[in-house]
Amino acid sequence: MDKQLFGYINWGLLACLFLLYLVGVGNLYSASATRLESGLAVSDFYQRQIIWGLCGMVCMLAAMIFDYRRLRNMAWPFFLITVVLLLLVPLAGKTVYGAKRWISLGFMSVQPSEMAKLSVLVLAARLLSRDSQPLGWKDFSGILCVGLVPCAFIVMQPDLGTTLMVLLILGGMILFHGIKGHVLKTCLLAVPCAGAFMWFVGMHDYQRQRILTFLDPGNDPRGTGYHIIQSRIAIGSGELWGKGFGEGTQSQLRFLPERHSDFAVAVFGEEWGFAGCVALVTLFCLFLLSIFSTAVQAKDRFGSMLVVGVFFYFFWQIFINIGMVIGIMPVVGIPLPFISYGGSATVVNFTLLGIVLNVSMRRFMFKG
């Protein structure tokens, strides 16, 4: 790789990335601790996150060193491989918490649904970059099928959160590209019908209960509403400045469930308070702004659409997870990037940012 390209790296994005990752590892250390009569016991979640982060950094570097335009030719093969892996999940997958989403490789487990986000993003970028004209019915239907095919397998795992993420990423990319008015109006009219179909046919009972709990958490405070209620208590108890690092009682006394994954930011809010949460949200905003600026500066449509897809990938996860933790969104099992624990998700996060840095480094090389 030309050493001159390193001069064009988006250093602001890299700084935000590593700050978020370090905050996440520190938060996981605290979230992994449990107060016992004999002292403080710390699980190894944060250690595993460090290992996954190192793997992710290797993948990020690999995603930076080649010309990203080669991804055009890799889009279809990568998509087909992902679909095959999703087909293998019901046959060879392992069940965790009642859902079969992972394939065990012996020394590690992979989650094909995480790969689906990446493969759909790359293939959609290829298809949307072919023409700058707003999408009509033919092109819109073809691109929509790219998302619906893997979603059909993911929703059966069941994994409503990832299904929602794939569709939201695809929808954001389509809107950024442009869509004809009559197509958009028809889609908006179809949303209530799709929502009704999902409610009566596509959702399991526990998923419908999550929606009802979101509307009234106090209706089942010891059951489905427990997560949201404990999350609100944890964040509220942090007040303005928080209780201090490692001093969160809701998390370390194990009142807060899923404190290392979906509700990791509740641990952060309890320990660092409102001031810390504002600082974290500000850091995420700078992170997103840096990604979006790269999309605007890209000199070809494929690179621009790739980065737009990455922007929506992170935007929706951040928005939904934080909204879920404070009770303004239903609990759908979407983690907070770099803050929540997750092996496959961490590697995918770093890889996607490697693609963004790739586009940023090559923005002065060519036009078109």
Side-chain angles (χ1 to χ4, degrees), residues 17-18 21 53 56-57 60 338 345-354:
L17 161 63
F18 285 112
Y21 176 66
M57 290 176 198
M60 181 178 72
F338 303 109
T346 298
V347 173
V348 170
N349 291 344
F350 274 101
T351 303
L352 287 174
L353 289 173

Side-chain angles (χ1 to χ4, degrees), residues 176-332:
F176 182 87
H177 174 275
I179 184 172
K180 291 183 177 179
H182 66 279
V183 179
L184 178 60
K185 291 176 183 177
T186 305
C187 291
L188 291 176
L189 291 174
V191 167
C193 299
F197 176 81
M198 286 300 297
W199 180 266
F200 291 107
V201 180
M203 288 186 180
H204 293 260
D205 290 339
Y206 78 91
Q207 292 170 333
R208 284 191 287 267
Q209 188 60 45
R210 285 180 177 180
I211 304 296
L212 297 174
T213 299
F214 157 68
L215 297 174
D216 184 13
N219 188 46
D220 188 12
R222 294 186 178 182
T224 55
Y226 183 79
H227 290 66
I228 295 177
I229 292 172
Q230 293 301 322
S231 177
R232 287 176 174 177
I233 292 173
I235 293 176
S237 65
E239 299 183 343
L240 181 58
W241 300 109
K243 296 177 178 178
F245 181 71
E247 298 297 325
T249 54
Q250 290 297 116
S251 59
Q252 294 189 2
L253 292 177
R254 306 184 75 172
F255 289 107
L256 181 66
E258 301 298 333
R259 60 190 187 278
H260 63 281
S261 54
D262 295 347
F263 290 86
V265 75
V267 177
F268 185 87
E270 183 180 22
E271 296 183 352
W272 300 102
F274 178 76
C277 289
V278 170
L280 181 63
V281 171
T282 301
L283 183 57
F284 270 122
C285 288
L286 292 173
F287 172 75
L288 291 172
L289 181 62
S290 186
I291 295 175
F292 191 77
S293 67
T294 301
V296 173
Q297 295 169 3
K299 296 304 181 182
D300 72 315
R301 291 189 56 80
F302 179 65
S304 179
M305 292 308 306
L306 272 177
V307 180
V308 165
V310 176
F311 171 84
F312 282 110
Y313 170 87
F314 285 110
F315 171 80
W316 286 118
Q317 286 191 92
I318 294 166
F319 178 79
I320 293 174
N321 181 271
I322 294 178
M324 179 180 75
V325 168
I326 63 177
I328 64 171
M329 296 286 289
V331 177
V332 290

Side-chain angles (χ1 to χ4, degrees), residues 33-161:
T34 302
R35 293 183 184 179
L36 305 173
E37 291 182 3
S38 58
L40 199 65
V42 181
S43 62
D44 63 347
F45 281 113
Y46 77 98
Q47 295 173 334
R48 282 185 276 171
Q49 188 75 348
I50 291 174
I51 295 173
W52 282 114
L54 293 174
C55 294
M57 290 176 198
V58 172
C59 293
M60 181 178 72
L61 288 173
M64 291 169 59
I65 61 177
F66 67 94
D67 190 333
Y68 65 86
R69 290 175 294 175
R70 296 181 183 177
L71 289 173
R72 282 181 184 270
N73 298 327
M74 298 168 59
W76 276 111
F78 183 32
F79 178 79
L80 294 175
I81 290 172
T82 301
V83 171
V84 170
L85 289 175
L86 288 171
L87 285 169
L88 289 176
V89 169
L91 302 175
K94 66 175 185 177
T95 303
V96 179
Y97 295 131
K100 189 176 286 189
R101 303 172 186 171
W102 290 266
I103 296 178
S104 177
L105 301 180
F107 63 97
M108 62 179 291
S109 297
V110 295
Q111 191 173 355
S113 58
E114 287 294 332
M115 295 175 58
K117 298 176 188 176
L118 182 55
S119 63
V120 168
L121 189 158
V122 174
L123 183 53
R126 169 178 171 161
L127 298 176
L128 290 169
S129 64
R130 294 180 302 185
D131 190 358
S132 61
Q133 298 299 315
L135 298 178
W137 275 116
K138 181 180 178 180
D139 292 331
F140 172 77
S141 300
I143 294 172
L144 184 61
C145 287
V146 166
L148 292 178
V149 169
C151 282
F153 299 113
I154 296 171
V155 78
M156 291 188 296
Q157 294 181 358
D159 190 350
L160 184 61

